[in-house]
Amino acid sequence: MEQIIKELGTYCVEHDISLEDLKQIRKELQTEKLKSESLNNEHFQKFLDLKNKQIVSGNLKIDLFLNSVKKGNRLLSIHENELLILQLLMANSHKTIKDEEILRLLETYGYDIGLKSMIVYVSRISHKIGKTSKQDSYIKRHWKHGYYWNVRVTIQEEPV
């Protein structure tokens, strides 16, 4: 394994492949893996349809190309795994996403976590984004079944 890593490193240096290039390749491979899994899963297909889109929901503005979330004019600190969960829930607004589907999505992107950790992630996201101006929660829980996005989602054509 050590030899393979050394050869890969040498190849990257010789061909001017940066760490950012490798991260982009990793993302593309993860997307391809999810596409193959999504053939029989409507929720994952909708997730992929939002890739690189800009979305407005309530007073949240999410740019999935820049991986940023704004609440009003305030930029929120969101980890990649939290953004993946947000994207899946928003892509399937008002539909319950099973805990297992969220875990499978995170696993596809390299986050091998358990159910309790996933619940903590969703709770952390919910706390960060807060409530809508009408005091509705963005994320709702169907006890022991999954989560759903509770607010209307609009895809923006212009930058948010």
Side-chain angles (χ1 to χ4, degrees):
M1 180 63 119
E2 200 172 300
Q3 180 64 25
I4 293 171
I5 293 172
K6 186 177 179 181
E7 289 175 17
L8 178 61
T10 302
Y11 182 86
C12 289
V13 169
E14 288 173 356
H15 293 86
D16 199 28
I17 299 172
S18 70
L19 181 58
E20 288 305 312
D21 294 333
L22 292 174
K23 287 179 180 178
Q24 184 62 35
I25 291 168
R26 180 175 181 244
K27 263 186 164 177
E28 292 301 321
L29 289 173
Q30 291 163 333
T31 299
E32 288 303 314
K33 181 179 178 185
L34 194 59
K35 278 182 183 176
S36 67
E37 289 181 11
S38 74
L39 294 175
N40 296 319
N41 189 314
E42 176 186 348
H43 296 150
F44 288 155
Q45 187 56 52
K46 288 182 177 180
F47 167 88
L48 291 171
D49 291 344
L50 281 187
K51 185 179 178 184
N52 296 327
K53 299 279 171 56
Q54 298 163 333
I55 303 160
V56 174
S57 185
N59 58 352
L60 292 177
K61 297 175 182 176
I62 295 100
D63 187 324
L64 295 170
F65 181 73
L66 297 175
N67 294 334
S68 67
V69 177
K70 284 185 178 180
K71 183 166 185 177
N73 291 326
R74 193 181 79 194
L75 186 63
L76 302 179
S77 174
I78 298 285
H79 191 272
E80 180 189 29
N81 57 6
E82 296 170 336
L83 197 58
L84 291 168
I85 294 169
L86 265 178
Q87 183 177 344
L88 181 62
L89 293 174
M90 293 177 80
N92 298 281
S93 65
H94 302 289
K95 294 180 184 171
T96 300
I97 304 298
K98 294 179 183 179
D99 295 338
E100 296 81 23
E101 289 180 285
I102 297 172
L103 288 169
R104 191 168 19 163
L105 173 75
L106 292 173
E107 183 182 320
T108 300
Y109 281 85
Y111 298 98
D112 191 21
I113 62 169
L115 179 62
K116 289 181 181 180
S117 294
M118 188 267 306
I119 291 170
V120 169
Y121 286 143
V122 175
S123 176
R124 190 179 305 152
I125 297 165
S126 193
H127 179 73
K128 285 180 184 181
I129 62 177
K131 297 180 183 279
T132 68
S133 55
K134 297 177 184 175
Q135 295 304 310
D136 291 328
S137 293
Y138 284 98
I139 300 172
K140 296 275 189 167
R141 173 90 169 136
H142 277 157
W143 185 247
K144 294 192 177 187
H145 291 290
Y147 295 89
Y148 69 97
W149 191 260
N150 188 42
V151 182
R152 185 171 170 253
V153 173
T154 306
I155 298 173
Q156 297 283 298
E157 297 302 322
E158 298 178 21
V160 290

